[in-house]
Amino acid sequence: MELVFENIPFFLKGAYYTLYVTIISMFFAFLIGVIIAVVRLKGPLWLRMIARFYVSIMRGTPLLVQLFVIYYGLVDYGVTLGSLTAACLGLSLNAGAFLSETFRGAIQAVPKGQTEAAYATGMTPFQTMRRIVFPQAVRIAIPPMGNTFIGMLKETSLVATIGVTELLRSAQLLVSQYALNMPFYLAIGVMYWIMSIGFSAILEQVERRLARAY
């Protein structure tokens, strides 16, 4: 374990990139999820079909394949992305598809009577969604959304395959340098676990605050 402690700065750099990719991807996945959910519920038929096809593709293919298509496949068509950009794009598109189903279910769980009451007071559909439906839907969606985000944190290990030096890649580099496996892989396992606990604690606080607010 002495080697692990000697290389803590290297691990922390890998953890920084893991958190960076996770947080950026979370933000864009949230936006994608909301947009796709609203489109599938309120959009015209042709747009709903496109959104449904997107969700089917993202949920029905492995994330690793999606990362390879974005990072390696697009090169064939003259589109070259940096490894960090490709990692954030791939994770955002993938998680956004799962979140869209979470948000769609949460929006549908809001009682229709509240929507009708909002319309009766003169609110437009946009105002009703923004002021009445969406705040309640977010509160309902927090627990499953938290599971998706924690899953994304762990799935960042896959971006090592496209050259991002996050936690797993950091461990792989140290393993190749010292020809020693167990200490380094155990160390990053503990670090992933600690970060997952941190995210869970943050989401629990958000859920409590929203519960008090409503």
Side-chain angles (χ1 to χ4, degrees):
M1 294 301 290
E2 183 178 347
L3 288 174
V4 172
F5 289 110
E6 288 177 2
N7 288 281
I8 282 179
F10 192 62
F11 280 123
L12 290 177
K13 185 178 180 181
Y16 165 79
Y17 281 110
T18 292
L19 289 173
Y20 176 85
V21 170
T22 302
I23 291 170
I24 296 296
S25 301
M26 278 182 182
F27 174 75
F28 286 105
F30 180 87
L31 294 180
I32 292 169
V34 170
I35 292 169
I36 296 297
V38 172
V39 166
R40 291 197 64 185
L41 289 171
K42 306 293 184 179
L45 178 60
W46 66 271
L47 205 52
R48 293 204 305 268
M49 295 300 293
I50 292 174
R52 186 173 181 178
F53 179 73
Y54 159 75
V55 171
S56 178
I57 288 291
M58 291 295 109
R59 295 176 68 189
T61 57
L63 174 58
L64 185 59
V65 173
Q66 295 166 18
L67 290 171
F68 280 15
V69 166
I70 292 170
Y71 186 67
Y72 297 113
L74 291 179
V75 174
D76 295 343
Y77 302 94
V79 180
T80 302
L81 300 176
S83 56
L84 271 176
T85 302
C88 292
L89 179 59
L91 286 167
S92 298
L93 291 173
N94 180 271
F98 286 91
L99 285 178
S100 71
E101 293 298 281
T102 298
F103 290 136
R104 189 166 67 95
I107 290 170
Q108 290 177 320
V110 176
K112 291 183 178 180
Q114 297 191 23
T115 303
E116 293 169 357
Y119 289 157
T121 62
M123 285 190 185
T124 65
F126 176 77
Q127 290 173 328
T128 301
M129 178 63 70
R130 182 170 63 88
R131 296 178 182 177
I132 306 298
V133 176
F134 190 69
Q136 296 182 72
V138 168
R139 183 168 59 90
I140 295 169
I142 285 289
M145 185 168 62
N147 291 334
T148 301
F149 284 158
I150 291 170
M152 181 192 293
L153 171 68
K154 293 180 286 187
E155 286 174 345
T156 56
S157 59
L158 294 175
V159 305
T161 59
I162 60 172
V164 179
T165 310
E166 43 66 71
L167 264 180
L168 178 60
R169 183 62 179 157
S170 299
Q172 289 173 334
L173 292 173
L174 291 173
V175 166
S176 64
Q177 179 180 347
Y178 293 103
L180 194 63
N181 294 277
M182 186 64 78
F184 298 122
Y185 289 133
L186 280 178
I188 64 167
V190 170
M191 294 180 76
Y192 277 118
W193 177 54
I194 291 171
M195 288 189 289
S196 296
I197 291 174
F199 272 110
S200 296
I202 292 170
L203 288 166
E204 285 176 6
Q205 288 298 319
V206 171
E207 189 176 0
R208 288 196 189 106
R209 285 173 181 263
L210 287 174
R212 286 198 297 268
Y214 286 96

